[in-house]
Amino acid sequence: MIRADLHLHTTYSSDSSIQPKTLVEKLVAHDFIKVAAVTDHDTVSGYNAIRQLAAAYPDILIIPGAEISTPNGDIVVLGAEEMPPQPWTVASVVDFARDTDCVSVVVHPYREWGMGDLARNYKFDAVEVLNGASPPSANKLARDLAKLMGLPGVAGSDAHQPAELCTVYTEIQASLDVDEVLKAVKKGLVTVPPPRKSIHF
Ligand SMILES: [Zn+2]
């Protein structure tokens, strides 16, 4: 079993101050979170740089991805090493994820940039049921949505500053391998423990 922060931003997002090196150092030093998905806004550019830095440490894993802005709300695509063709709509991004063996996640559905109940109309692979930057009420609604849609729930810090990294995490029944992690999420082999300080759950 591995523990992963499945939503965070690096300096490849214009609104984040987390240097790639800082992310790698955080995972190396962390007692039990050894996996992170890099989900910058509308770009996958950070992944190669971060993967190279991480390659020196066999006990950590970086998962490629992006948080894609659509007119109806944000979608995280886990596993993406390239961006989907534009224009980005909910349907086109979900289709892209399915066709490229990636994982589509409805993120923070009940706060700003979230798509709310509209998510029910699309074949997502998972719902972000715990977002480190969302209030408890929004995370509760996201958990209800996952239940309603019969989808696995995942957690991500949505960190934009170093101190926000790894505040929440997803437990995944997989080893340190990107494909295994993606397949496990799709199969629902995931658990989201409440955060230690239950401020966001
Ligand atoms: Zn985000």
Side-chain angles (χ1 to χ4, degrees), residues 1-5 23-36 50-63 166 174-178 181:
M1 191 261 287
I2 52 120
R3 295 180 180 91
D5 183 347
L23 169 60
V24 170
E25 284 169 355
K26 178 81 182 184
L27 294 177
V28 169
H30 204 285
D31 289 341
F32 54 90
I33 300 176
K34 293 293 177 186
V35 180
I50 296 162
R51 181 174 57 176
Q52 277 173 24
L53 289 175
Y57 306 97
D59 69 327
I60 71 169
L61 178 70
I62 301 293
I63 297 169
C166 299
S175 62
L176 288 173
D177 176 83
V178 173
V181 167

Side-chain angles (χ1 to χ4, degrees), residues 100-176:
T100 54
D101 292 325
C102 292
V103 173
S104 58
V105 185
V106 195
V107 291
H108 47 69
Y110 295 98
R111 73 159 160 86
E112 204 182 7
W113 315 117
M115 71 181 65
D117 292 343
L118 188 75
R120 290 194 239 168
N121 301 327
Y122 300 92
K123 293 198 166 149
F124 283 100
D125 296 309
V127 177
E128 185 181 65
V129 296
L130 177 59
N131 175 290
S134 287
S137 54
N139 284 325
K140 162 86 173 66
L141 288 170
R143 288 206 300 280
D144 293 346
L145 179 71
K147 209 177 277 180
L148 185 79
M149 293 177 75
L151 289 177
V154 295
S157 66
D158 206 355
H160 287 72
Q161 296 174 37
E164 295 167 351
L165 285 168
C166 299
T167 48
V168 302
Y169 59 92
T170 311
E171 290 181 348
I172 306 170
Q173 301 299 324
S175 62
L176 288 173

Side-chain angles (χ1 to χ4, degrees), residues 5-16 18 23 36-47 50 62-69 74-80 83 103 105 107-108 128 131 154-160 165 182:
D5 183 347
L6 292 179
H7 184 168
L8 61 88
H9 298 269
T10 73
T11 46
Y12 287 82
S13 294
S14 59
D15 57 355
S16 171
I18 300 170
L23 169 60
V38 173
T39 58
D40 284 309
H41 293 294
D42 300 323
T43 179
V44 293
S45 310
Y47 173 65
I50 296 162
I62 301 293
I63 297 169
E67 180 170 27
I68 300 173
S69 318
D74 291 346
I75 302 170
V76 158
V77 179
L78 298 173
M83 292 297 289
V103 173
V105 185
V107 291
H108 47 69
E128 185 181 65
N131 175 290
V154 295
S157 66
D158 206 355
H160 287 72
L165 285 168
L182 299 177

